[in-house]
Coordinates of all heavy atoms in Angstrom, one line a residue:
M144 N 25.9 -1.3 -13.1 CA 27.0 -1.8 -13.9 C 28.3 -1.0 -13.3 O 28.2 0.1 -13.0 CB 26.9 -1.4 -15.3 CG 28.0 -1.8 -16.1 SD 27.9 -1.5 -18.0 CE 26.1 -1.7 -18.3
G145 N 29.4 -1.7 -13.2 CA 30.6 -1.1 -12.7 C 31.6 -1.0 -13.8 O 31.5 -1.7 -14.8
L180 N 34.0 -3.3 -18.3 CA 32.6 -3.2 -17.6 C 32.4 -4.5 -16.8 O 32.9 -5.6 -17.2 CB 31.5 -3.2 -18.7 CG 31.5 -2.0 -19.6 CD1 30.4 -2.1 -20.5 CD2 31.3 -0.7 -18.7
H181 N 31.7 -4.3 -15.7 CA 31.4 -5.5 -14.8 C 29.9 -5.2 -14.4 O 29.6 -4.1 -14.0 CB 32.3 -5.4 -13.6 CG 33.8 -5.6 -13.9 ND1 34.3 -6.8 -14.2 CD2 34.7 -4.6 -14.1 CE1 35.6 -6.6 -14.5 NE2 35.8 -5.4 -14.5
L182 N 29.2 -6.4 -14.4 CA 27.8 -6.3 -13.8 C 27.9 -6.1 -12.3 O 28.6 -7.0 -11.7 CB 27.0 -7.5 -14.2 CG 25.5 -7.5 -14.0 CD1 24.8 -6.3 -14.6 CD2 24.9 -8.8 -14.3
A183 N 27.3 -5.2 -11.8 CA 27.3 -5.0 -10.3 C 26.3 -5.9 -9.7 O 25.1 -5.4 -9.4 CB 27.0 -3.5 -10.0
N184 N 26.6 -7.2 -9.5 CA 25.7 -8.1 -8.9 C 25.1 -7.7 -7.6 O 23.9 -8.1 -7.3 CB 26.5 -9.5 -8.7 CG 26.8 -10.2 -10.1 OD1 26.0 -10.1 -10.9 ND2 28.0 -10.6 -10.1
D185 N 25.8 -7.0 -6.7 CA 25.3 -6.6 -5.5 C 24.2 -5.5 -5.6 O 23.3 -5.4 -4.8 CB 26.4 -6.0 -4.5 CG 27.1 -4.8 -5.2 OD1 27.2 -4.8 -6.5 OD2 27.6 -3.9 -4.5
I186 N 24.0 -4.9 -6.7 CA 22.9 -4.0 -7.1 C 21.8 -4.7 -7.7 O 20.6 -4.5 -7.5 CB 23.5 -2.8 -7.9 CG1 24.4 -1.9 -7.1 CG2 22.3 -1.9 -8.3 CD1 25.3 -0.9 -7.8
V187 N 22.1 -5.6 -8.8 CA 21.1 -6.2 -9.5 C 20.5 -7.3 -8.8 O 19.3 -7.4 -8.8 CB 21.8 -6.9 -10.9 CG1 20.7 -7.7 -11.6 CG2 22.4 -5.8 -11.7
A188 N 21.3 -8.1 -8.0 CA 20.7 -9.3 -7.3 C 19.6 -9.1 -6.3 O 18.6 -9.8 -6.4 CB 21.8 -10.1 -6.7
P189 N 19.7 -8.0 -5.6 CA 18.5 -7.7 -4.6 C 17.2 -7.5 -5.3 O 16.1 -7.8 -4.8 CB 18.9 -6.6 -3.8 CG 20.4 -6.5 -3.9 CD 20.7 -7.1 -5.2
N190 N 17.3 -6.9 -6.5 CA 16.1 -6.6 -7.2 C 15.3 -7.7 -7.9 O 14.2 -7.7 -8.2 CB 16.4 -5.5 -8.3 CG 16.8 -4.2 -7.7 OD1 16.3 -3.9 -6.6 ND2 17.8 -3.5 -8.4
V191 N 16.0 -8.9 -8.0 CA 15.4 -10.0 -8.7 C 14.3 -10.6 -7.9 O 13.4 -11.4 -8.4 CB 16.4 -11.1 -9.0 CG1 17.5 -10.5 -10.0 CG2 17.0 -11.8 -7.9
E192 N 14.2 -10.4 -6.6 CA 13.2 -10.9 -5.7 C 11.9 -10.0 -5.8 O 10.8 -10.4 -5.3 CB 13.7 -11.0 -4.3 CG 14.8 -12.0 -4.1 CD 14.5 -13.4 -4.6 OE1 13.4 -13.8 -4.4 OE2 15.5 -13.9 -5.1
N193 N 12.0 -8.8 -6.4 CA 10.8 -7.9 -6.6 C 9.8 -8.6 -7.6 O 10.2 -9.1 -8.6 CB 11.3 -6.6 -7.0 CG 12.1 -5.8 -6.0 OD1 12.1 -6.1 -4.9 ND2 12.7 -4.8 -6.5
V194 N 8.6 -8.4 -7.1 CA 7.5 -8.9 -8.0 C 7.5 -8.1 -9.3 O 7.7 -6.9 -9.5 CB 6.1 -8.6 -7.4 CG1 4.9 -9.0 -8.4 CG2 6.0 -9.2 -6.1
G195 N 7.4 -8.8 -10.5 CA 7.4 -8.2 -11.8 C 8.9 -8.0 -12.4 O 9.0 -7.5 -13.5
W196 N 10.0 -8.4 -11.6 CA 11.2 -8.1 -12.2 C 11.4 -9.1 -13.3 O 11.0 -10.2 -13.3 CB 12.3 -8.5 -11.0 CG 13.7 -8.4 -11.5 CD1 14.5 -7.2 -11.5 CD2 14.5 -9.3 -12.1 NE1 15.7 -7.4 -12.0 CE2 15.8 -8.7 -12.4 CE3 14.4 -10.6 -12.6 CZ2 16.8 -9.4 -13.1 CZ3 15.4 -11.3 -13.1 CH2 16.6 -10.7 -13.5
N197 N 12.2 -8.6 -14.4 CA 12.6 -9.5 -15.5 C 14.0 -9.1 -15.9 O 14.5 -7.9 -15.6 CB 11.6 -9.5 -16.6 CG 11.5 -8.2 -17.4 OD1 12.6 -7.8 -17.9 ND2 10.3 -7.6 -17.3
P198 N 14.7 -10.0 -16.6 CA 16.1 -9.7 -16.9 C 16.3 -8.4 -17.9 O 17.3 -7.8 -18.0 CB 16.6 -10.9 -17.7 CG 15.4 -12.0 -17.5 CD 14.4 -11.3 -16.9
F199 N 15.1 -8.1 -18.7 CA 15.1 -7.0 -19.6 C 15.3 -5.6 -18.7 O 15.8 -4.7 -19.4 CB 14.1 -6.9 -20.5 CG 14.0 -8.1 -21.5 CD1 13.2 -9.3 -21.2 CD2 14.8 -8.1 -22.5 CE1 13.2 -10.3 -22.1 CE2 14.9 -9.2 -23.4 CZ 14.0 -10.3 -23.3
Q200 N 15.0 -5.6 -17.5 CA 15.2 -4.5 -16.7 C 16.7 -4.2 -16.6 O 17.3 -3.1 -16.5 CB 14.7 -4.6 -15.3 CG 13.0 -4.6 -15.4 CD 12.5 -5.0 -14.0 OE1 13.1 -5.7 -13.2 NE2 11.3 -4.5 -13.7
V201 N 17.5 -5.3 -16.5 CA 18.9 -5.3 -16.5 C 19.5 -4.5 -17.7 O 20.3 -3.8 -17.7 CB 19.6 -6.6 -16.1 CG1 21.1 -6.5 -16.1 CG2 19.1 -7.1 -14.8
V202 N 19.0 -4.9 -18.8 CA 19.4 -4.5 -20.1 C 19.1 -3.0 -20.2 O 19.9 -2.2 -20.7 CB 18.7 -5.3 -21.4 CG1 19.2 -4.7 -22.6 CG2 19.3 -6.8 -21.2
R203 N 17.9 -2.6 -19.8 CA 17.6 -1.2 -19.9 C 18.4 -0.4 -18.9 O 18.8 0.7 -19.3 CB 16.1 -1.0 -19.5 CG 15.1 -1.4 -20.5 CD 13.6 -1.0 -20.3 NE 13.1 -1.6 -19.1 CZ 12.5 -2.7 -19.1 NH1 12.3 -3.5 -20.2 NH2 12.0 -3.3 -17.9
G204 N 18.7 -1.0 -17.6 CA 19.6 -0.3 -16.8 C 21.1 -0.1 -17.3 O 21.7 0.9 -17.3
A205 N 21.4 -1.2 -18.1 CA 22.8 -1.2 -18.6 C 22.8 -0.1 -19.8 O 23.8 0.5 -20.0 CB 23.2 -2.6 -19.2
R206 N 21.7 -0.1 -20.5 CA 21.7 0.9 -21.6 C 21.9 2.3 -21.1 O 22.6 3.2 -21.6 CB 20.4 0.8 -22.5 CG 20.3 1.6 -23.6 CD 19.1 1.4 -24.6 NE 19.5 0.1 -25.4 CZ 18.8 -1.0 -25.3 NH1 17.8 -1.2 -24.5 NH2 19.2 -2.1 -26.0
D208 N 23.3 3.2 -18.2 CA 24.7 3.3 -17.7 C 25.7 3.4 -18.9 O 26.6 4.3 -18.9 CB 25.2 1.9 -17.1 CG 24.4 1.8 -15.7 OD1 23.9 2.8 -15.2 OD2 24.5 0.7 -15.2
S231 N 31.4 -12.1 -20.6 CA 30.1 -12.5 -19.9 C 29.7 -13.9 -20.6 O 30.1 -14.2 -21.6 CB 29.1 -11.5 -20.2 OG 27.8 -11.8 -19.7
I233 N 26.3 -13.9 -21.1 CA 25.2 -13.4 -21.6 C 25.4 -12.6 -22.9 O 25.0 -11.5 -23.1 CB 24.3 -12.6 -20.6 CG1 25.1 -11.4 -20.1 CG2 23.7 -13.4 -19.5 CD1 24.3 -10.5 -19.2
A236 N 22.4 -10.5 -24.7 CA 22.2 -9.1 -24.0 C 23.2 -8.1 -24.5 O 22.9 -7.0 -24.8 CB 22.1 -9.2 -22.5
L240 N 22.8 -4.7 -26.8 CA 23.2 -3.2 -26.4 C 24.3 -2.7 -27.5 O 24.6 -1.6 -27.2 CB 24.0 -3.3 -25.1 CG 23.1 -3.6 -23.9 CD1 23.9 -4.0 -22.6 CD2 22.1 -2.5 -23.6
L263 N 29.1 -17.5 -10.2 CA 28.4 -16.3 -9.9 C 26.9 -16.4 -10.2 O 26.1 -15.8 -9.4 CB 29.0 -15.0 -10.8 CG 30.4 -14.6 -10.4 CD1 30.8 -13.5 -11.4 CD2 30.2 -14.1 -9.0
L264 N 26.6 -17.0 -11.3 CA 25.1 -17.3 -11.6 C 24.5 -18.0 -10.5 O 23.3 -17.7 -10.0 CB 25.0 -18.0 -12.9 CG 24.8 -17.2 -14.1 CD1 24.8 -18.2 -15.4 CD2 23.8 -16.3 -14.2
V266 N 25.2 -18.0 -7.4 CA 25.0 -17.2 -6.2 C 23.9 -16.1 -6.4 O 23.1 -15.8 -5.5 CB 26.5 -16.5 -5.8 CG1 26.2 -15.4 -4.7 CG2 27.4 -17.6 -5.4
Y267 N 23.9 -15.4 -7.6 CA 23.2 -14.2 -7.8 C 22.0 -14.4 -8.6 O 20.9 -13.5 -8.5 CB 24.1 -13.1 -8.5 CG 25.2 -12.5 -7.6 CD1 26.5 -12.9 -7.8 CD2 24.8 -11.9 -6.5 CE1 27.5 -12.4 -6.9 CE2 25.8 -11.3 -5.7 CZ 27.1 -11.6 -5.9 OH 28.1 -11.2 -5.1
H268 N 21.8 -15.3 -9.5 CA 20.6 -15.5 -10.2 C 19.3 -16.0 -9.4 O 19.6 -16.8 -8.5 CB 20.9 -16.6 -11.4 CG 19.8 -16.5 -12.5 ND1 18.6 -17.1 -12.3 CD2 19.9 -15.9 -13.7 CE1 17.9 -16.9 -13.4 NE2 18.6 -16.1 -14.2
P269 N 18.2 -15.5 -9.6 CA 17.0 -15.9 -8.7 C 16.8 -17.5 -8.8 O 16.3 -18.1 -7.9 CB 16.0 -15.1 -9.3 CG 16.3 -14.5 -10.6 CD 17.8 -14.5 -10.6
A270 N 17.1 -18.1 -10.0 CA 17.0 -19.5 -10.1 C 18.2 -20.3 -9.6 O 18.2 -21.5 -9.5 CB 16.8 -20.0 -11.6

Side-chain angles (χ1 to χ4, degrees):
M144 184 179 319
L180 297 180
H181 303 274
L182 187 61
N184 292 315
D185 57 332
I186 295 170
V187 175
N190 295 324
V191 299
E192 299 300 326
N193 294 342
V194 175
W196 181 90
N197 70 61
F199 292 104
Q200 291 172 331
V201 177
V202 174
R203 283 192 296 275
R206 188 169 282 119
D208 290 348
S231 177
I233 55 171
L240 290 168
L263 288 177
L264 271 178
V266 172
Y267 290 108
H268 195 281

